Amino acid sequence: MESGQLFNFVTLGYFIAMVLFITYLATRNSKVAFLAHLFCVAGVAVHTLAIGMRWYESYQMPGGVGHAPLSNLYESVVFFAWTILVIYLLIDFKYKQPSIGAFVLPFAFLGMTWAQLTLNTSIEPLVPALQSNWLTYHVLTCFLGYAAFAVACGVSIMYLIKVGKEEKGDGPIGGILGIFPSIRVLDDINYRAIMIGFPLLTLGIITGAAWANYAWGTYWSWDPKETWSLIVWFIYAAFLHARFTRGWVGRRAAWLSVIGFAATIFCYLGVNLVLSGLHSYGGGGM
Amino acid sequence: MNVKKTSSPDRLWDFFCSLKLTIFTLLMLAVTSIIGTVIQQDGAAEEYIKEYGRSNYELFQKMHLTDMYHSWWFVGLLGLFCVNLICCSIKNFPRVWKFVSQPMLVAGDGTYKNSANKAEFITKEPADELAQRLTDTLKSAFTRPTLTEVDGHLNLFAQKGIYSRFGAYMTHLSILIIMLGAIIGTVWGYKAYVNIVEGTSITQVWPRNGNQPIQLGYSVRCDKFEVEYYPGTMRPKEFRSLLTIVDNGKVIYDKAKIIVNEPLSYKGITFYQSSYGPAGTGTFEIEVTDNKSGDKLTVNPAQGQRVPLPNGFFFSVDDFTASYESYGAAAKLHVDTPEGKHRTPFIILQKFPQFDARRGGDFSFALKSYHQPQYTGLQVAKDPGVWIVWFGCFLMVFGSMSAFFFSHRRVWIRLSHEQGKTRVQMAANAHRNQAAFSLTFEELKKQIENTVTNKA
């Protein structure tokens, strides 16, 4: 079996998990939630295997092409989906709120679908600039950070949906919203996820700077990718500081988290697809 | 109403300390930074005029938008950010320092009553004996406690992770250190480039912004430049230069290899493999056979050069290609007769040296090799601040990790005599991540209870 087929199974697995999570919202059936988790865990296991296999396949190709599967847009989107699941399962293990899955799994599913359907899946040899161990450290830390921001964004969307209803205070909230965690818990998870993501993003920016210094002799050159990563860093730094002042928790914090994730996605995709810069090879394979 | 009058220096101080200013500057930095990613930076005037028109270009100039990250207003914003975090740190640091210099060894009634994590036990065992055993329990289950006696009560205090209180300050300090490193690099360092043709040396490099060359103080020779391609493709796999550095007649590096991602440093100046290209005209190695006598001779002409042959003939190479369809390298030649007649041009292929003998004529030719000299393009950087920047980065990672992933946890126990019995009160808190700490506390409480009831 080839890694490409496995990735198709992974995509299907995440789709089923997503549908089950949404079914859980409607039915409140804890068996459905359990099944959804089962698909998540199985999906991420196959996903890990598939990434390992693609890595192995790259070494089977002629001409010394072998490299970690983190080098082009397709590979990075697939890896991003993997990190989202890893961070989600980590947070889910701690908070045990299955309804959050319905708002996080779509990110992973959409990423996998986009990658499998439209991106160039061929394994390509690395250009000299990418032949560095820093590539692995840089991509690993950045995407774990991005994934934590994705979870924070999903939770913030739940918060924003629920907060209006809860503030009206017409007795207990029924229906789908009733199964959401309380807004206090959602606000807390949002903060926690960003607390995980921020140091990882910091590490990602630093490993990127160290690598740039090795490759080009300058650790910071204000190219659009670098600048956007700093913009994302500024937004989440503002978010973390805003927690200390009253009035910036809750609704505003949730909006800031959503804006932060939008900036993250722009930093990741928008810069390559819309703007130009040193990372332009990251946009290859479209 | 009791309005406290504040003097203007105080108000200024409060302004620079305020968290509102922090959030404002962070968001302003985020928003303004976008401009420079949309408008190309450091471009040529004509490009801007072509894209945006002259009046817009003049507006950009006035607002420094074409080099905005070095403009007075952006640097000013960064400066405001630094002033804010310095003031904030000065204001709040003493309070944190107090946790270290004056730990709260004895907790008051309020702490035992109101703490989220608390417990109480009664036992008949005398307080001093129990205190001894509780000390051992805390030592193994948490960390070594400090014993204090106040008003006849015995107090135990233990704490862990106090450094996490400094995480935020470490992160703030690291930002200042990184900025310091960046300033040092800008003032005492430079970014330059140089192209070295194979076999030649250079002693000076050209700065990115400026016209005067910078003297290196030693010479750098490029002995060889090579490009390696992925098999069967024109994708470069690796390009490498062999550099020899000679300082004062002494060879420091002899044919040291540099490739992309593996630079070479000497005396604080680093050379990075960056680009390459052809330099000057190449030379061919061509073997000529005189078909009448069978004599062979080898010549090394450049393209277009007229080469004399026996009996008054001449030939020259008119054209060359590295890949002629699927046949590989090919050269187009023509022969001139002694009368000066230009004969029909023909093609010889490097892969098939016998091929030209079939053409007949006075001479047959074989293309042995082609050598095109290359130049290697190097980025040259001197940055005496870079180690300060890396130190700052290390501090930032360490600081932010300890600020977000760890917390300062404290446990207090008070033993007091009450009607022949000993009352054991326990309280604990964590300055962050209370939920996780309450689990730790439950575990600790169980162990303390076991010790008190002598079940251990």
Side-chain angles (χ1 to χ4, degrees), chain A residues 122-163:
Chain A
S122 61
I123 297 174
E124 312 239 308
L126 289 182
V127 297
L130 290 181
Q131 294 166 17
S132 168
N133 284 335
W134 289 106
L135 171 68
T136 311
Y137 308 139
H138 177 56
V139 174
L140 198 70
T141 47
C142 281
F143 280 101
L144 282 171
Y146 291 180
F149 298 150
V151 173
C153 175
V155 169
S156 294
I157 292 170
M158 293 175 83
Y159 181 95
L160 291 169
I161 293 172
K162 188 163 187 178
V163 71

Short mmCIF file of all heavy atoms in Angstrom, two decimals, chain A residues 122-163:
data_model
loop_
_atom_site.label_atom_id
_atom_site.label_comp_id
_atom_site.label_asym_id
_atom_site.label_seq_id
_atom_site.Cartn_x
_atom_site.Cartn_y
_atom_site.Cartn_z
N SER A 122 3.37 14.73 -5.59
CA SER A 122 4.61 14.01 -5.92
C SER A 122 5.74 14.39 -4.96
O SER A 122 5.80 15.51 -4.46
CB SER A 122 5.01 14.29 -7.36
OG SER A 122 5.24 15.67 -7.52
N ILE A 123 6.61 13.43 -4.72
CA ILE A 123 7.77 13.67 -3.86
C ILE A 123 8.86 14.30 -4.72
O ILE A 123 9.27 13.73 -5.72
CB ILE A 123 8.26 12.36 -3.23
CG1 ILE A 123 7.16 11.78 -2.33
CG2 ILE A 123 9.54 12.58 -2.45
CD1 ILE A 123 7.48 10.41 -1.77
N GLU A 124 9.28 15.49 -4.35
CA GLU A 124 10.23 16.22 -5.17
C GLU A 124 11.56 16.35 -4.44
O GLU A 124 11.59 16.42 -3.22
CB GLU A 124 9.69 17.62 -5.43
CG GLU A 124 8.24 17.60 -5.89
CD GLU A 124 8.05 18.22 -7.23
OE1 GLU A 124 8.50 19.36 -7.41
OE2 GLU A 124 7.46 17.57 -8.11
N PRO A 125 12.65 16.38 -5.22
CA PRO A 125 13.94 16.58 -4.56
C PRO A 125 14.04 17.97 -3.93
O PRO A 125 13.37 18.91 -4.37
CB PRO A 125 14.95 16.41 -5.69
CG PRO A 125 14.18 16.47 -6.95
CD PRO A 125 12.76 16.20 -6.67
N LEU A 126 14.84 18.08 -2.91
CA LEU A 126 14.97 19.35 -2.18
C LEU A 126 15.93 20.29 -2.91
O LEU A 126 17.01 19.88 -3.34
CB LEU A 126 15.52 19.10 -0.78
CG LEU A 126 14.62 18.43 0.23
CD1 LEU A 126 15.33 18.32 1.56
CD2 LEU A 126 13.34 19.22 0.40
N VAL A 127 15.53 21.56 -3.01
CA VAL A 127 16.48 22.57 -3.50
C VAL A 127 17.54 22.75 -2.41
O VAL A 127 17.27 22.47 -1.24
CB VAL A 127 15.78 23.91 -3.81
CG1 VAL A 127 14.78 23.71 -4.93
CG2 VAL A 127 15.12 24.49 -2.59
N PRO A 128 18.75 23.21 -2.78
CA PRO A 128 19.82 23.30 -1.78
C PRO A 128 19.45 24.07 -0.52
O PRO A 128 19.83 23.67 0.58
CB PRO A 128 20.94 23.99 -2.55
CG PRO A 128 20.73 23.58 -3.96
CD PRO A 128 19.25 23.52 -4.14
N ALA A 129 18.65 25.14 -0.65
CA ALA A 129 18.33 25.96 0.52
C ALA A 129 17.57 25.16 1.58
O ALA A 129 17.66 25.45 2.77
CB ALA A 129 17.52 27.19 0.12
N LEU A 130 16.79 24.16 1.15
CA LEU A 130 15.97 23.40 2.10
C LEU A 130 16.73 22.23 2.74
O LEU A 130 16.20 21.54 3.59
CB LEU A 130 14.71 22.87 1.42
CG LEU A 130 13.65 23.89 1.03
CD1 LEU A 130 12.47 23.20 0.38
CD2 LEU A 130 13.18 24.70 2.22
N GLN A 131 17.97 21.99 2.27
CA GLN A 131 18.71 20.86 2.82
C GLN A 131 19.37 21.24 4.14
O GLN A 131 20.55 21.55 4.20
CB GLN A 131 19.76 20.37 1.82
CG GLN A 131 19.16 19.79 0.55
CD GLN A 131 20.19 19.64 -0.54
OE1 GLN A 131 21.38 19.67 -0.30
NE2 GLN A 131 19.72 19.50 -1.77
N SER A 132 18.58 21.23 5.19
CA SER A 132 19.10 21.63 6.48
C SER A 132 18.27 20.98 7.57
O SER A 132 17.06 20.80 7.41
CB SER A 132 19.03 23.16 6.61
OG SER A 132 19.26 23.54 7.94
N ASN A 133 18.90 20.60 8.67
CA ASN A 133 18.15 20.03 9.79
C ASN A 133 17.20 21.04 10.40
O ASN A 133 16.21 20.69 11.01
CB ASN A 133 19.11 19.55 10.88
CG ASN A 133 19.78 18.25 10.49
OD1 ASN A 133 19.22 17.49 9.68
ND2 ASN A 133 20.95 18.01 11.02
N TRP A 134 17.54 22.32 10.22
CA TRP A 134 16.68 23.37 10.77
C TRP A 134 15.29 23.30 10.18
O TRP A 134 14.33 23.71 10.81
CB TRP A 134 17.28 24.75 10.52
CG TRP A 134 18.49 25.02 11.35
CD1 TRP A 134 19.79 25.04 10.93
CD2 TRP A 134 18.52 25.34 12.74
NE1 TRP A 134 20.61 25.31 11.97
CE2 TRP A 134 19.88 25.51 13.09
CE3 TRP A 134 17.54 25.48 13.72
CZ2 TRP A 134 20.27 25.83 14.39
CZ3 TRP A 134 17.94 25.79 15.01
CH2 TRP A 134 19.29 25.96 15.33
N LEU A 135 15.18 22.79 8.95
CA LEU A 135 13.86 22.68 8.31
C LEU A 135 12.91 21.89 9.21
O LEU A 135 11.78 22.31 9.46
CB LEU A 135 14.00 21.99 6.94
CG LEU A 135 12.69 21.60 6.24
CD1 LEU A 135 11.92 22.82 5.79
CD2 LEU A 135 12.95 20.71 5.03
N THR A 136 13.38 20.74 9.70
CA THR A 136 12.52 19.89 10.53
C THR A 136 12.13 20.60 11.82
O THR A 136 10.95 20.64 12.18
CB THR A 136 13.26 18.58 10.86
OG1 THR A 136 13.79 18.06 9.64
CG2 THR A 136 12.34 17.57 11.47
N TYR A 137 13.11 21.17 12.52
CA TYR A 137 12.80 21.86 13.79
C TYR A 137 11.83 23.02 13.56
O TYR A 137 10.89 23.23 14.32
CB TYR A 137 14.08 22.42 14.44
CG TYR A 137 15.18 21.40 14.60
CD1 TYR A 137 16.50 21.74 14.33
CD2 TYR A 137 14.89 20.10 15.00
CE1 TYR A 137 17.52 20.81 14.46
CE2 TYR A 137 15.90 19.18 15.13
CZ TYR A 137 17.21 19.52 14.87
OH TYR A 137 18.20 18.60 14.99
N HIS A 138 12.10 23.76 12.49
CA HIS A 138 11.31 24.95 12.18
C HIS A 138 9.85 24.56 11.90
O HIS A 138 8.92 25.10 12.49
CB HIS A 138 11.94 25.65 10.97
CG HIS A 138 11.21 26.85 10.49
ND1 HIS A 138 10.92 27.92 11.31
CD2 HIS A 138 10.71 27.17 9.28
CE1 HIS A 138 10.28 28.83 10.60
NE2 HIS A 138 10.13 28.40 9.38
N VAL A 139 9.66 23.59 11.01
CA VAL A 139 8.31 23.20 10.62
C VAL A 139 7.57 22.56 11.80
O VAL A 139 6.40 22.87 12.05
CB VAL A 139 8.36 22.25 9.40
CG1 VAL A 139 6.98 21.72 9.07
CG2 VAL A 139 8.95 22.97 8.20
N LEU A 140 8.27 21.71 12.52
CA LEU A 140 7.65 21.02 13.66
C LEU A 140 7.10 22.02 14.68
O LEU A 140 5.94 21.96 15.08
CB LEU A 140 8.71 20.13 14.32
CG LEU A 140 8.21 19.03 15.23
CD1 LEU A 140 7.52 17.95 14.41
CD2 LEU A 140 9.36 18.44 16.02
N THR A 141 7.94 22.97 15.10
CA THR A 141 7.52 23.91 16.13
C THR A 141 6.43 24.84 15.62
O THR A 141 5.45 25.09 16.31
CB THR A 141 8.71 24.71 16.66
OG1 THR A 141 9.47 25.19 15.55
CG2 THR A 141 9.60 23.87 17.54
N CYS A 142 6.60 25.34 14.38
CA CYS A 142 5.60 26.27 13.83
C CYS A 142 4.23 25.61 13.78
O CYS A 142 3.24 26.18 14.22
CB CYS A 142 5.98 26.71 12.43
SG CYS A 142 7.23 27.98 12.42
N PHE A 143 4.18 24.38 13.24
CA PHE A 143 2.87 23.78 13.02
C PHE A 143 2.22 23.31 14.31
O PHE A 143 1.00 23.36 14.43
CB PHE A 143 2.95 22.67 11.98
CG PHE A 143 2.96 23.22 10.59
CD1 PHE A 143 4.12 23.33 9.87
CD2 PHE A 143 1.78 23.70 10.03
CE1 PHE A 143 4.14 23.89 8.60
CE2 PHE A 143 1.79 24.25 8.76
CZ PHE A 143 2.97 24.34 8.05
N LEU A 144 3.00 22.88 15.29
CA LEU A 144 2.39 22.57 16.58
C LEU A 144 1.76 23.83 17.16
O LEU A 144 0.68 23.80 17.73
CB LEU A 144 3.43 21.97 17.54
CG LEU A 144 3.78 20.50 17.28
CD1 LEU A 144 4.96 20.08 18.13
CD2 LEU A 144 2.58 19.60 17.58
N GLY A 145 2.45 24.96 17.00
CA GLY A 145 1.91 26.24 17.44
C GLY A 145 0.63 26.58 16.69
O GLY A 145 -0.39 26.91 17.30
N TYR A 146 0.69 26.47 15.36
CA TYR A 146 -0.50 26.78 14.53
C TYR A 146 -1.68 25.91 14.95
O TYR A 146 -2.82 26.37 15.01
CB TYR A 146 -0.21 26.49 13.05
CG TYR A 146 0.77 27.41 12.35
CD1 TYR A 146 1.08 27.21 11.01
CD2 TYR A 146 1.37 28.47 13.02
CE1 TYR A 146 1.98 28.03 10.35
CE2 TYR A 146 2.26 29.29 12.36
CZ TYR A 146 2.58 29.06 11.03
OH TYR A 146 3.46 29.88 10.38
N ALA A 147 -1.39 24.62 15.25
CA ALA A 147 -2.47 23.69 15.59
C ALA A 147 -3.13 24.11 16.91
O ALA A 147 -4.36 24.07 17.03
CB ALA A 147 -1.92 22.28 15.70
N ALA A 148 -2.32 24.54 17.88
CA ALA A 148 -2.88 25.00 19.15
C ALA A 148 -3.78 26.22 18.89
O ALA A 148 -4.86 26.35 19.49
CB ALA A 148 -1.77 25.36 20.12
N PHE A 149 -3.37 27.11 17.96
CA PHE A 149 -4.19 28.27 17.64
C PHE A 149 -5.48 27.84 16.94
O PHE A 149 -6.52 28.48 17.12
CB PHE A 149 -3.41 29.25 16.76
CG PHE A 149 -2.18 29.82 17.43
CD1 PHE A 149 -1.06 30.17 16.69
CD2 PHE A 149 -2.14 29.99 18.81
CE1 PHE A 149 0.07 30.69 17.31
CE2 PHE A 149 -1.01 30.50 19.43
CZ PHE A 149 0.10 30.85 18.68
N ALA A 150 -5.41 26.76 16.15
CA ALA A 150 -6.62 26.26 15.48
C ALA A 150 -7.63 25.78 16.52
O ALA A 150 -8.82 26.09 16.42
CB ALA A 150 -6.25 25.12 14.52
N VAL A 151 -7.14 25.05 17.53
CA VAL A 151 -8.04 24.58 18.59
C VAL A 151 -8.63 25.78 19.33
O VAL A 151 -9.83 25.85 19.57
CB VAL A 151 -7.28 23.65 19.57
CG1 VAL A 151 -8.16 23.30 20.76
CG2 VAL A 151 -6.84 22.38 18.85
N ALA A 152 -7.77 26.77 19.64
CA ALA A 152 -8.24 27.97 20.33
C ALA A 152 -9.32 28.67 19.51
O ALA A 152 -10.32 29.15 20.06
CB ALA A 152 -7.07 28.91 20.59
N CYS A 153 -9.14 28.71 18.20
CA CYS A 153 -10.10 29.36 17.32
C CYS A 153 -11.44 28.61 17.34
O CYS A 153 -12.50 29.23 17.48
CB CYS A 153 -9.53 29.43 15.89
SG CYS A 153 -10.68 30.08 14.69
N GLY A 154 -11.37 27.27 17.25
CA GLY A 154 -12.59 26.47 17.29
C GLY A 154 -13.37 26.71 18.57
O GLY A 154 -14.59 26.92 18.56
N VAL A 155 -12.64 26.73 19.69
CA VAL A 155 -13.27 26.93 21.00
C VAL A 155 -13.86 28.35 21.08
O VAL A 155 -14.94 28.55 21.63
CB VAL A 155 -12.23 26.68 22.11
CG1 VAL A 155 -12.75 27.15 23.44
CG2 VAL A 155 -11.87 25.21 22.16
N SER A 156 -13.15 29.32 20.50
CA SER A 156 -13.63 30.70 20.53
C SER A 156 -14.91 30.86 19.74
O SER A 156 -15.80 31.63 20.12
CB SER A 156 -12.57 31.65 19.98
OG SER A 156 -11.46 31.66 20.83
N ILE A 157 -15.00 30.13 18.61
CA ILE A 157 -16.24 30.18 17.81
C ILE A 157 -17.39 29.65 18.66
O ILE A 157 -18.47 30.24 18.71
CB ILE A 157 -16.08 29.39 16.50
CG1 ILE A 157 -15.08 30.12 15.57
CG2 ILE A 157 -17.42 29.23 15.79
CD1 ILE A 157 -14.66 29.33 14.36
N MET A 158 -17.14 28.53 19.38
CA MET A 158 -18.18 27.98 20.28
C MET A 158 -18.58 29.02 21.33
O MET A 158 -19.75 29.21 21.61
CB MET A 158 -17.65 26.73 21.00
CG MET A 158 -17.42 25.57 20.10
SD MET A 158 -16.66 24.19 20.99
CE MET A 158 -18.08 23.42 21.73
N TYR A 159 -17.56 29.70 21.87
CA TYR A 159 -17.82 30.71 22.89
C TYR A 159 -18.74 31.79 22.34
O TYR A 159 -19.74 32.16 22.95
CB TYR A 159 -16.49 31.34 23.34
CG TYR A 159 -16.65 32.38 24.41
CD1 TYR A 159 -16.53 32.05 25.74
CD2 TYR A 159 -16.96 33.71 24.08
CE1 TYR A 159 -16.70 33.00 26.73
CE2 TYR A 159 -17.15 34.66 25.04
CZ TYR A 159 -17.01 34.31 26.37
OH TYR A 159 -17.18 35.25 27.34
N LEU A 160 -18.38 32.28 21.13
CA LEU A 160 -19.14 33.38 20.55
C LEU A 160 -20.58 32.97 20.21
O LEU A 160 -21.50 33.77 20.30
CB LEU A 160 -18.43 33.92 19.30
CG LEU A 160 -17.11 34.63 19.61
CD1 LEU A 160 -16.32 34.90 18.34
CD2 LEU A 160 -17.35 35.93 20.37
N ILE A 161 -20.75 31.69 19.84
CA ILE A 161 -22.10 31.20 19.56
C ILE A 161 -22.91 31.15 20.86
O ILE A 161 -24.07 31.54 20.91
CB ILE A 161 -22.06 29.80 18.91
CG1 ILE A 161 -21.43 29.89 17.50
CG2 ILE A 161 -23.45 29.19 18.83
CD1 ILE A 161 -21.16 28.54 16.86
N LYS A 162 -22.26 30.69 21.91
CA LYS A 162 -22.99 30.44 23.16
C LYS A 162 -23.21 31.69 24.01
O LYS A 162 -24.24 31.80 24.68
CB LYS A 162 -22.24 29.39 23.98
CG LYS A 162 -23.05 28.94 25.20
CD LYS A 162 -22.56 27.66 25.80
CE LYS A 162 -23.52 27.20 26.88
NZ LYS A 162 -23.16 25.94 27.50
N VAL A 163 -22.23 32.61 23.94
CA VAL A 163 -22.26 33.70 24.93
C VAL A 163 -23.51 34.56 24.83
O VAL A 163 -24.08 34.97 25.84
CB VAL A 163 -20.97 34.54 24.85
CG1 VAL A 163 -20.93 35.39 23.59
CG2 VAL A 163 -20.82 35.42 26.08
#
